[in-house]
Amino acid sequence: MGADNLYSQVVAYLKVALPLAAIALLSTLFLYSGKSGGESEIPYAEIEAIAREPRIASPNFTGMSEDGSVISISAETARPVEGERSFLVDGLNAEIDTAEGTHIQIRAGEGFVNTEQRIARLEGLARVVTSNGYEMETSGLTASLASGRIEFARRA
């Protein structure tokens, strides 16, 4: 009879002790969770700027030209032009892998991509590097996404 009494006393004690231990563990979890080293504040000013001027971060435009060249355009940001199927882009990078095997890499500060006409107009300083050793800098260029043809801006 003494063993049954001891068992009942231990069970009665654990019925109180275990829920109290669980409450203590959960309270320490909530007390110390807000004291992490990094700040996690929401940048409300940035959210308002994004709401005023919608944009896409790190967009990629990829396609294939009529002659089989693979064209890939990426940018830091792209903002849609209202009423048109086009985008203003910043930090633009373009890569063209021609059907003949030449790789062309183009970098420009800003540009304009028209998806309906399938052209990309790069403005400001544009740098062009090809896999067969050519390097060029120009004040702008226009690339046809349909044909893969690049036309450099002419100086007046």
Side-chain angles (χ1 to χ4, degrees):
M1 190 98 178
D4 287 339
N5 193 16
L6 177 64
Y7 177 75
S8 297
Q9 287 177 351
V10 170
V11 169
Y13 171 75
L14 289 177
K15 279 184 177 180
V16 174
L18 289 177
L20 286 176
I23 290 172
L25 284 173
L26 285 174
S27 65
T28 57
L29 177 71
F30 290 115
L31 287 173
Y32 291 112
S33 67
K35 295 184 180 180
S36 63
E39 292 291 324
S40 60
E41 294 183 18
I42 299 173
Y44 290 107
E46 189 175 321
I47 292 172
E48 290 174 5
I50 291 171
R52 278 192 305 273
E53 184 179 313
R55 60 182 160 222
I56 303 168
S58 302
N60 286 315
F61 304 94
T62 304
M64 186 173 284
S65 69
E66 296 163 351
D67 68 349
S69 298
V70 177
I71 302 169
S72 175
I73 299 174
S74 62
E76 291 174 12
T77 61
R79 295 179 311 277
V81 176
E82 197 169 326
E84 296 182 29
R85 293 182 60 190
S86 57
F87 299 89
L88 295 173
V89 292
D90 294 316
L92 192 115
N93 293 313
E95 293 187 15
I96 302 171
D97 290 314
T98 65
E100 294 84 30
T102 305
H103 179 76
I104 302 169
Q105 188 172 24
I106 305 167
R107 297 189 191 284
E110 57 187 26
F112 174 82
V113 177
N114 188 316
T115 57
E116 190 171 14
Q117 296 176 356
R118 298 185 67 190
I119 61 166
R121 189 173 304 119
L122 312 182
E123 299 170 350
L125 182 64
R127 181 171 174 79
V128 180
V129 178
T130 66
S131 62
N132 51 2
Y134 292 105
E135 292 185 26
M136 298 163 265
E137 287 186 354
T138 181
S139 60
L141 59 91
T142 302
S144 170
L145 303 178
S147 67
R149 182 182 171 106
I150 300 171
E151 295 179 9
F152 295 96
R154 296 190 179 120
R155 293 186 182 229

